[in-house]
Amino acid sequence: MKKILFFLLLLPSIASAVQDYYHFDSLKEQNRFNALTSQLRCLVCQNQNLAESNAPLANDLRNQVYEKIQQGQSDQTIIDYLVARYGDFILYQPPMNVMTIGLWFGPFLLLILGLGGLIFYIKKRE
Amino acid sequence: MNLFKQVRFALPFILFLFIVILLMRGLSLHPNQIPSPLMNKPAPTFSNDFKGHVTLLNVWATWCSACAEEHDFLLQLAREKEVILMGLNYKDNPKAAIRWLKQQGNPYQLVAYDPTGQIGIDWGVYGTPETFIIDKKGIIRYKQLGPLTQEVWEQTLKPLIQQLQNESL
């Protein structure tokens, strides 16, 4: 138990170790960097975002995001730049289009079906 | 209503079958193969090197073990001369790369050097080896992730390249 607690204490220091590497002129820029890198997917280790991943490519892409923020580019410009190269897959929140319509509305459809079934069942019991 | 009562007991089984089918489908998917948005778009760099002939662009590095696996096959393709082979050396040490080509044989007619990985990012490279097929107009027509094998070549790349060779400029 003590060992586990010890490792849990280490976790925040790992997270901040990545950030200390970059120097920002303002807190606003740093927040933008943190927000962008946490919503972009690492393509090598797909269940990690760019902020968490230690893959070499994630590091390169983090550097790109950092440089582009330094150049004064907007969040949308940076996202568009990466999507043009790696596709919508790099976004953790997929855009709504023909390909992803099931992803966006499928759960609601299942909810309606489930609720309908439930109401039907209750009505019948009455 | 009577019909519903009759099939009601089969519902969990139908649901179970449905989930089994979904999970079986999931087993045969390759989520690491991400479709490239560059498909059917002009090559982001080296556009002058692609004009007038079909090109196979292979992204490789000496530190990439899967690249070593496909190297013999690339040498075979170079001998067969069905397509122009171009290499993109990705985030590598130039000395190690040149030594590798001297020792193992150089299948490429042209090798570009990308020490920082910037060209790789422009091509959407995320895992070497990657292979692009570029048509005579310089449009990317296919992307292969992972090592080239005889099987991939015979089934996919060779027919595609033959089709692209017949396309007019």
mmCIF file of all heavy atoms in Angstrom, chain B residues 75-113:
data_model
loop_
_atom_site.group_PDB
_atom_site.id
_atom_site.type_symbol
_atom_site.label_atom_id
_atom_site.label_comp_id
_atom_site.label_asym_id
_atom_site.label_seq_id
_atom_site.Cartn_x
_atom_site.Cartn_y
_atom_site.Cartn_z
ATOM 1 N N LEU B 75 15.232 -4.199 -52.703
ATOM 2 C CA LEU B 75 16.323 -4.469 -53.658
ATOM 3 C C LEU B 75 15.797 -5.268 -54.849
ATOM 4 O O LEU B 75 16.163 -5.016 -55.995
ATOM 5 C CB LEU B 75 17.460 -5.222 -52.965
ATOM 6 C CG LEU B 75 18.284 -4.398 -51.959
ATOM 7 C CD1 LEU B 75 19.201 -5.299 -51.161
ATOM 8 C CD2 LEU B 75 19.080 -3.313 -52.664
ATOM 9 N N GLN B 76 14.900 -6.216 -54.536
ATOM 10 C CA GLN B 76 14.288 -7.007 -55.613
ATOM 11 C C GLN B 76 13.470 -6.109 -56.544
ATOM 12 O O GLN B 76 13.551 -6.224 -57.768
ATOM 13 C CB GLN B 76 13.408 -8.090 -54.979
ATOM 14 C CG GLN B 76 12.784 -9.045 -55.984
ATOM 15 C CD GLN B 76 11.709 -9.897 -55.325
ATOM 16 O OE1 GLN B 76 11.860 -10.315 -54.175
ATOM 17 N NE2 GLN B 76 10.625 -10.147 -56.032
ATOM 18 N N LEU B 77 12.693 -5.192 -55.948
ATOM 19 C CA LEU B 77 11.896 -4.255 -56.763
ATOM 20 C C LEU B 77 12.793 -3.388 -57.635
ATOM 21 O O LEU B 77 12.467 -3.091 -58.782
ATOM 22 C CB LEU B 77 11.062 -3.348 -55.866
ATOM 23 C CG LEU B 77 9.832 -3.931 -55.196
ATOM 24 C CD1 LEU B 77 9.062 -2.820 -54.503
ATOM 25 C CD2 LEU B 77 8.950 -4.616 -56.217
ATOM 26 N N ALA B 78 13.952 -2.992 -57.075
ATOM 27 C CA ALA B 78 14.880 -2.145 -57.829
ATOM 28 C C ALA B 78 15.399 -2.898 -59.057
ATOM 29 O O ALA B 78 15.576 -2.316 -60.127
ATOM 30 C CB ALA B 78 16.032 -1.713 -56.931
ATOM 31 N N ARG B 79 15.604 -4.212 -58.908
ATOM 32 C CA ARG B 79 16.081 -5.008 -60.046
ATOM 33 C C ARG B 79 14.982 -5.172 -61.097
ATOM 34 O O ARG B 79 15.246 -5.189 -62.286
ATOM 35 C CB ARG B 79 16.555 -6.388 -59.558
ATOM 36 C CG ARG B 79 17.912 -6.353 -58.873
ATOM 37 C CD ARG B 79 18.464 -7.757 -58.659
ATOM 38 N NE ARG B 79 17.643 -8.561 -57.762
ATOM 39 C CZ ARG B 79 17.796 -8.575 -56.427
ATOM 40 N NH1 ARG B 79 18.732 -7.843 -55.869
ATOM 41 N NH2 ARG B 79 17.016 -9.333 -55.676
ATOM 42 N N GLU B 80 13.738 -5.291 -60.628
ATOM 43 C CA GLU B 80 12.626 -5.512 -61.566
ATOM 44 C C GLU B 80 12.281 -4.258 -62.371
ATOM 45 O O GLU B 80 11.671 -4.345 -63.431
ATOM 46 C CB GLU B 80 11.392 -6.008 -60.799
ATOM 47 C CG GLU B 80 11.546 -7.450 -60.334
ATOM 48 C CD GLU B 80 10.431 -7.893 -59.390
ATOM 49 O OE1 GLU B 80 9.494 -7.106 -59.155
ATOM 50 O OE2 GLU B 80 10.516 -9.026 -58.879
ATOM 51 N N LYS B 81 12.615 -3.088 -61.834
ATOM 52 C CA LYS B 81 12.477 -1.806 -62.547
ATOM 53 C C LYS B 81 11.061 -1.526 -63.042
ATOM 54 O O LYS B 81 10.868 -0.984 -64.117
ATOM 55 C CB LYS B 81 13.455 -1.760 -63.724
ATOM 56 C CG LYS B 81 14.897 -1.653 -63.261
ATOM 57 C CD LYS B 81 15.833 -1.393 -64.418
ATOM 58 C CE LYS B 81 17.241 -1.161 -63.897
ATOM 59 N NZ LYS B 81 18.273 -1.737 -64.670
ATOM 60 N N GLU B 82 10.049 -1.899 -62.277
ATOM 61 C CA GLU B 82 8.682 -1.593 -62.703
ATOM 62 C C GLU B 82 8.259 -0.204 -62.268
ATOM 63 O O GLU B 82 7.265 0.331 -62.753
ATOM 64 C CB GLU B 82 7.719 -2.631 -62.123
ATOM 65 C CG GLU B 82 7.830 -3.961 -62.817
ATOM 66 C CD GLU B 82 6.631 -4.830 -62.547
ATOM 67 O OE1 GLU B 82 5.506 -4.367 -62.741
ATOM 68 O OE2 GLU B 82 6.836 -5.979 -62.127
ATOM 69 N N VAL B 83 9.000 0.342 -61.317
ATOM 70 C CA VAL B 83 8.614 1.633 -60.752
ATOM 71 C C VAL B 83 9.891 2.336 -60.282
ATOM 72 O O VAL B 83 10.882 1.674 -59.957
ATOM 73 C CB VAL B 83 7.600 1.417 -59.598
ATOM 74 C CG1 VAL B 83 8.221 0.633 -58.454
ATOM 75 C CG2 VAL B 83 7.013 2.725 -59.092
ATOM 76 N N ILE B 84 9.866 3.666 -60.269
ATOM 77 C CA ILE B 84 11.010 4.424 -59.761
ATOM 78 C C ILE B 84 10.973 4.371 -58.235
ATOM 79 O O ILE B 84 9.955 4.682 -57.625
ATOM 80 C CB ILE B 84 10.921 5.902 -60.207
ATOM 81 C CG1 ILE B 84 10.794 5.992 -61.724
ATOM 82 C CG2 ILE B 84 12.063 6.723 -59.627
ATOM 83 C CD1 ILE B 84 12.047 6.190 -62.480
ATOM 84 N N LEU B 85 12.068 3.965 -57.618
ATOM 85 C CA LEU B 85 12.129 3.899 -56.157
ATOM 86 C C LEU B 85 12.839 5.128 -55.597
ATOM 87 O O LEU B 85 13.961 5.435 -55.980
ATOM 88 C CB LEU B 85 12.873 2.635 -55.706
ATOM 89 C CG LEU B 85 11.994 1.424 -55.392
ATOM 90 C CD1 LEU B 85 11.451 0.831 -56.668
ATOM 91 C CD2 LEU B 85 12.737 0.394 -54.595
ATOM 92 N N MET B 86 12.125 5.807 -54.687
ATOM 93 C CA MET B 86 12.733 6.948 -54.020
ATOM 94 C C MET B 86 12.656 6.692 -52.520
ATOM 95 O O MET B 86 11.673 6.144 -52.033
ATOM 96 C CB MET B 86 11.958 8.211 -54.398
ATOM 97 C CG MET B 86 12.570 9.472 -53.859
ATOM 98 S SD MET B 86 11.694 10.916 -54.485
ATOM 99 C CE MET B 86 12.238 12.133 -53.304
ATOM 100 N N GLY B 87 13.711 7.076 -51.801
ATOM 101 C CA GLY B 87 13.738 6.869 -50.357
ATOM 102 C C GLY B 87 13.644 8.184 -49.612
ATOM 103 O O GLY B 87 14.121 9.214 -50.099
ATOM 104 N N LEU B 88 13.003 8.151 -48.453
ATOM 105 C CA LEU B 88 13.052 9.308 -47.555
ATOM 106 C C LEU B 88 13.641 8.796 -46.245
ATOM 107 O O LEU B 88 13.010 8.022 -45.523
ATOM 108 C CB LEU B 88 11.659 9.910 -47.327
ATOM 109 C CG LEU B 88 11.601 11.051 -46.302
ATOM 110 C CD1 LEU B 88 12.426 12.242 -46.756
ATOM 111 C CD2 LEU B 88 10.166 11.488 -46.048
ATOM 112 N N ASN B 89 14.864 9.208 -45.981
ATOM 113 C CA ASN B 89 15.540 8.789 -44.758
ATOM 114 C C ASN B 89 15.052 9.663 -43.619
ATOM 115 O O ASN B 89 15.258 10.870 -43.606
ATOM 116 C CB ASN B 89 17.055 8.907 -44.942
ATOM 117 C CG ASN B 89 17.809 8.438 -43.732
ATOM 118 O OD1 ASN B 89 18.370 9.239 -43.007
ATOM 119 N ND2 ASN B 89 17.814 7.153 -43.493
ATOM 120 N N TYR B 90 14.381 9.044 -42.639
ATOM 121 C CA TYR B 90 13.589 9.768 -41.642
ATOM 122 C C TYR B 90 14.287 9.771 -40.282
ATOM 123 O O TYR B 90 14.554 8.711 -39.716
ATOM 124 C CB TYR B 90 12.227 9.083 -41.560
ATOM 125 C CG TYR B 90 11.260 9.636 -40.549
ATOM 126 C CD1 TYR B 90 10.718 10.900 -40.686
ATOM 127 C CD2 TYR B 90 10.865 8.867 -39.461
ATOM 128 C CE1 TYR B 90 9.820 11.399 -39.777
ATOM 129 C CE2 TYR B 90 9.954 9.350 -38.540
ATOM 130 C CZ TYR B 90 9.435 10.625 -38.705
ATOM 131 O OH TYR B 90 8.533 11.101 -37.788
ATOM 132 N N LYS B 91 14.592 10.961 -39.782
ATOM 133 C CA LYS B 91 15.167 11.147 -38.450
ATOM 134 C C LYS B 91 16.318 10.171 -38.169
ATOM 135 O O LYS B 91 16.294 9.425 -37.191
ATOM 136 C CB LYS B 91 14.084 10.994 -37.380
ATOM 137 C CG LYS B 91 13.018 12.055 -37.505
ATOM 138 C CD LYS B 91 12.100 12.068 -36.335
ATOM 139 C CE LYS B 91 12.739 12.692 -35.124
ATOM 140 N NZ LYS B 91 11.795 12.942 -34.045
ATOM 141 N N ASP B 92 17.297 10.215 -39.024
ATOM 142 C CA ASP B 92 18.382 9.248 -38.945
ATOM 143 C C ASP B 92 19.716 9.979 -38.855
ATOM 144 O O ASP B 92 19.793 11.192 -39.053
ATOM 145 C CB ASP B 92 18.329 8.368 -40.212
ATOM 146 C CG ASP B 92 18.860 6.978 -39.952
ATOM 147 O OD1 ASP B 92 19.494 6.766 -38.908
ATOM 148 O OD2 ASP B 92 18.629 6.113 -40.797
ATOM 149 N N ASN B 93 20.728 9.212 -38.560
ATOM 150 C CA ASN B 93 22.095 9.721 -38.583
ATOM 151 C C ASN B 93 22.620 9.546 -40.015
ATOM 152 O O ASN B 93 22.588 8.438 -40.538
ATOM 153 C CB ASN B 93 22.891 8.878 -37.568
ATOM 154 C CG ASN B 93 24.372 9.183 -37.590
ATOM 155 O OD1 ASN B 93 24.914 9.661 -38.580
ATOM 156 N ND2 ASN B 93 25.023 8.892 -36.489
ATOM 157 N N PRO B 94 23.082 10.624 -40.663
ATOM 158 C CA PRO B 94 23.452 10.515 -42.083
ATOM 159 C C PRO B 94 24.557 9.488 -42.325
ATOM 160 O O PRO B 94 24.521 8.748 -43.319
ATOM 161 C CB PRO B 94 23.916 11.926 -42.453
ATOM 162 C CG PRO B 94 24.208 12.597 -41.162
ATOM 163 C CD PRO B 94 23.293 11.975 -40.142
ATOM 164 N N LYS B 95 25.523 9.422 -41.399
ATOM 165 C CA LYS B 95 26.619 8.457 -41.574
ATOM 166 C C LYS B 95 26.088 7.032 -41.510
ATOM 167 O O LYS B 95 26.453 6.174 -42.318
ATOM 168 C CB LYS B 95 27.681 8.669 -40.493
ATOM 169 C CG LYS B 95 28.588 9.844 -40.784
ATOM 170 C CD LYS B 95 29.660 9.970 -39.712
ATOM 171 C CE LYS B 95 30.451 11.245 -39.937
ATOM 172 N NZ LYS B 95 31.111 11.688 -38.702
ATOM 173 N N ALA B 96 25.225 6.792 -40.526
ATOM 174 C CA ALA B 96 24.652 5.446 -40.380
ATOM 175 C C ALA B 96 23.829 5.083 -41.611
ATOM 176 O O ALA B 96 23.879 3.949 -42.093
ATOM 177 C CB ALA B 96 23.775 5.385 -39.123
ATOM 178 N N ALA B 97 23.096 6.072 -42.153
ATOM 179 C CA ALA B 97 22.241 5.818 -43.312
ATOM 180 C C ALA B 97 23.081 5.456 -44.531
ATOM 181 O O ALA B 97 22.779 4.496 -45.250
ATOM 182 C CB ALA B 97 21.375 7.042 -43.598
ATOM 183 N N ILE B 98 24.160 6.221 -44.760
ATOM 184 C CA ILE B 98 25.012 5.960 -45.933
ATOM 185 C C ILE B 98 25.715 4.611 -45.783
ATOM 186 O O ILE B 98 25.801 3.830 -46.728
ATOM 187 C CB ILE B 98 26.015 7.127 -46.119
ATOM 188 C CG1 ILE B 98 25.257 8.373 -46.597
ATOM 189 C CG2 ILE B 98 27.107 6.756 -47.111
ATOM 190 C CD1 ILE B 98 26.042 9.650 -46.510
ATOM 191 N N ARG B 99 26.182 4.332 -44.557
ATOM 192 C CA ARG B 99 26.838 3.045 -44.317
ATOM 193 C C ARG B 99 25.859 1.894 -44.589
ATOM 194 O O ARG B 99 26.215 0.902 -45.235
ATOM 195 C CB ARG B 99 27.334 2.986 -42.862
ATOM 196 C CG ARG B 99 28.385 1.902 -42.637
ATOM 197 C CD ARG B 99 28.790 1.772 -41.175
ATOM 198 N NE ARG B 99 28.888 3.037 -40.482
ATOM 199 C CZ ARG B 99 28.268 3.306 -39.336
ATOM 200 N NH1 ARG B 99 27.505 2.394 -38.762
ATOM 201 N NH2 ARG B 99 28.399 4.480 -38.754
ATOM 202 N N TRP B 100 24.635 2.079 -44.130
ATOM 203 C CA TRP B 100 23.599 1.061 -44.336
ATOM 204 C C TRP B 100 23.398 0.785 -45.824
ATOM 205 O O TRP B 100 23.352 -0.370 -46.261
ATOM 206 C CB TRP B 100 22.302 1.545 -43.675
ATOM 207 C CG TRP B 100 21.085 0.759 -44.028
ATOM 208 C CD1 TRP B 100 20.173 1.070 -44.983
ATOM 209 C CD2 TRP B 100 20.652 -0.467 -43.445
ATOM 210 N NE1 TRP B 100 19.197 0.131 -45.042
ATOM 211 C CE2 TRP B 100 19.457 -0.839 -44.101
ATOM 212 C CE3 TRP B 100 21.154 -1.294 -42.436
ATOM 213 C CZ2 TRP B 100 18.759 -1.994 -43.772
ATOM 214 C CZ3 TRP B 100 20.443 -2.448 -42.116
ATOM 215 C CH2 TRP B 100 19.268 -2.781 -42.773
ATOM 216 N N LEU B 101 23.296 1.848 -46.615
ATOM 217 C CA LEU B 101 23.038 1.679 -48.049
ATOM 218 C C LEU B 101 24.239 1.036 -48.745
ATOM 219 O O LEU B 101 24.080 0.258 -49.685
ATOM 220 C CB LEU B 101 22.702 3.029 -48.696
ATOM 221 C CG LEU B 101 21.361 3.627 -48.269
ATOM 222 C CD1 LEU B 101 21.138 4.971 -48.933
ATOM 223 C CD2 LEU B 101 20.206 2.693 -48.588
ATOM 224 N N LYS B 102 25.444 1.365 -48.265
ATOM 225 C CA LYS B 102 26.643 0.767 -48.868
ATOM 226 C C LYS B 102 26.741 -0.718 -48.539
ATOM 227 O O LYS B 102 27.088 -1.541 -49.387
ATOM 228 C CB LYS B 102 27.898 1.489 -48.368
ATOM 229 C CG LYS B 102 28.184 2.756 -49.168
ATOM 230 C CD LYS B 102 29.515 3.353 -48.763
ATOM 231 C CE LYS B 102 29.774 4.621 -49.568
ATOM 232 N NZ LYS B 102 30.692 5.524 -48.854
ATOM 233 N N GLN B 103 26.438 -1.044 -47.292
ATOM 234 C CA GLN B 103 26.586 -2.438 -46.869
ATOM 235 C C GLN B 103 25.453 -3.326 -47.379
ATOM 236 O O GLN B 103 25.689 -4.430 -47.845
ATOM 237 C CB GLN B 103 26.609 -2.511 -45.328
ATOM 238 C CG GLN B 103 27.962 -2.121 -44.753
ATOM 239 C CD GLN B 103 27.913 -2.027 -43.232
ATOM 240 O OE1 GLN B 103 26.871 -2.214 -42.618
ATOM 241 N NE2 GLN B 103 29.057 -1.728 -42.641
ATOM 242 N N GLN B 104 24.227 -2.825 -47.273
ATOM 243 C CA GLN B 104 23.067 -3.668 -47.583
ATOM 244 C C GLN B 104 22.610 -3.535 -49.038
ATOM 245 O O GLN B 104 21.755 -4.282 -49.479
ATOM 246 C CB GLN B 104 21.888 -3.303 -46.675
ATOM 247 C CG GLN B 104 22.209 -3.280 -45.191
ATOM 248 C CD GLN B 104 22.373 -4.670 -44.610
ATOM 249 O OE1 GLN B 104 21.697 -5.599 -45.026
ATOM 250 N NE2 GLN B 104 23.296 -4.822 -43.683
ATOM 251 N N GLY B 105 23.146 -2.554 -49.734
ATOM 252 C CA GLY B 105 22.692 -2.295 -51.104
ATOM 253 C C GLY B 105 21.707 -1.148 -51.121
ATOM 254 O O GLY B 105 20.923 -0.989 -50.183
ATOM 255 N N ASN B 106 21.767 -0.337 -52.177
ATOM 256 C CA ASN B 106 20.892 0.824 -52.262
ATOM 257 C C ASN B 106 19.809 0.600 -53.319
ATOM 258 O O ASN B 106 20.082 0.606 -54.507
ATOM 259 C CB ASN B 106 21.719 2.066 -52.616
ATOM 260 C CG ASN B 106 20.858 3.308 -52.747
ATOM 261 O OD1 ASN B 106 19.659 3.266 -52.509
ATOM 262 N ND2 ASN B 106 21.476 4.406 -53.131
ATOM 263 N N PRO B 107 18.560 0.403 -52.902
ATOM 264 C CA PRO B 107 17.492 0.169 -53.882
ATOM 265 C C PRO B 107 16.969 1.463 -54.509
ATOM 266 O O PRO B 107 16.228 1.414 -55.482
ATOM 267 C CB PRO B 107 16.396 -0.500 -53.049
ATOM 268 C CG PRO B 107 16.604 0.017 -51.670
ATOM 269 C CD PRO B 107 18.064 0.316 -51.511
ATOM 270 N N TYR B 108 17.340 2.621 -53.934
ATOM 271 C CA TYR B 108 16.710 3.883 -54.326
ATOM 272 C C TYR B 108 17.479 4.584 -55.440
ATOM 273 O O TYR B 108 18.712 4.591 -55.453
ATOM 274 C CB TYR B 108 16.613 4.827 -53.128
ATOM 275 C CG TYR B 108 16.023 4.189 -51.891
ATOM 276 C CD1 TYR B 108 16.810 3.953 -50.768
ATOM 277 C CD2 TYR B 108 14.687 3.823 -51.854
ATOM 278 C CE1 TYR B 108 16.270 3.371 -49.635
ATOM 279 C CE2 TYR B 108 14.143 3.239 -50.722
ATOM 280 C CZ TYR B 108 14.942 3.017 -49.618
ATOM 281 O OH TYR B 108 14.405 2.436 -48.503
ATOM 282 N N GLN B 109 16.735 5.206 -56.353
ATOM 283 C CA GLN B 109 17.384 6.030 -57.370
ATOM 284 C C GLN B 109 17.693 7.408 -56.806
ATOM 285 O O GLN B 109 18.521 8.135 -57.330
ATOM 286 C CB GLN B 109 16.462 6.152 -58.584
ATOM 287 C CG GLN B 109 16.091 4.769 -59.087
ATOM 288 C CD GLN B 109 15.496 4.784 -60.463
ATOM 289 O OE1 GLN B 109 15.373 5.815 -61.090
ATOM 290 N NE2 GLN B 109 15.124 3.621 -60.946
ATOM 291 N N LEU B 110 16.961 7.751 -55.757
ATOM 292 C CA LEU B 110 17.131 9.066 -55.138
ATOM 293 C C LEU B 110 16.768 8.900 -53.658
ATOM 294 O O LEU B 110 15.790 8.236 -53.338
ATOM 295 C CB LEU B 110 16.156 10.030 -55.815
ATOM 296 C CG LEU B 110 16.306 11.523 -55.601
ATOM 297 C CD1 LEU B 110 17.598 12.005 -56.245
ATOM 298 C CD2 LEU B 110 15.112 12.245 -56.198
ATOM 299 N N VAL B 111 17.582 9.474 -52.775
ATOM 300 C CA VAL B 111 17.242 9.417 -51.356
ATOM 301 C C VAL B 111 17.212 10.843 -50.803
ATOM 302 O O VAL B 111 18.170 11.593 -50.952
ATOM 303 C CB VAL B 111 18.259 8.577 -50.549
ATOM 304 C CG1 VAL B 111 17.850 8.522 -49.078
ATOM 305 C CG2 VAL B 111 18.364 7.170 -51.094
ATOM 306 N N ALA B 112 16.100 11.215 -50.185
ATOM 307 C CA ALA B 112 16.003 12.511 -49.519
ATOM 308 C C ALA B 112 16.312 12.305 -48.042
ATOM 309 O O ALA B 112 16.065 11.233 -47.491
ATOM 310 C CB ALA B 112 14.606 13.083 -49.696
ATOM 311 N N TYR B 113 16.850 13.342 -47.417
ATOM 312 C CA TYR B 113 17.288 13.229 -46.036
ATOM 313 C C TYR B 113 16.469 14.181 -45.168
ATOM 314 O O TYR B 113 16.397 15.372 -45.445
ATOM 315 C CB TYR B 113 18.785 13.545 -45.975
ATOM 316 C CG TYR B 113 19.365 13.499 -44.588
ATOM 317 C CD1 TYR B 113 19.118 12.415 -43.761
ATOM 318 C CD2 TYR B 113 20.162 14.530 -44.112
ATOM 319 C CE1 TYR B 113 19.641 12.370 -42.494
ATOM 320 C CE2 TYR B 113 20.705 14.489 -42.842
ATOM 321 C CZ TYR B 113 20.432 13.409 -42.035
ATOM 322 O OH TYR B 113 20.948 13.365 -40.775
#
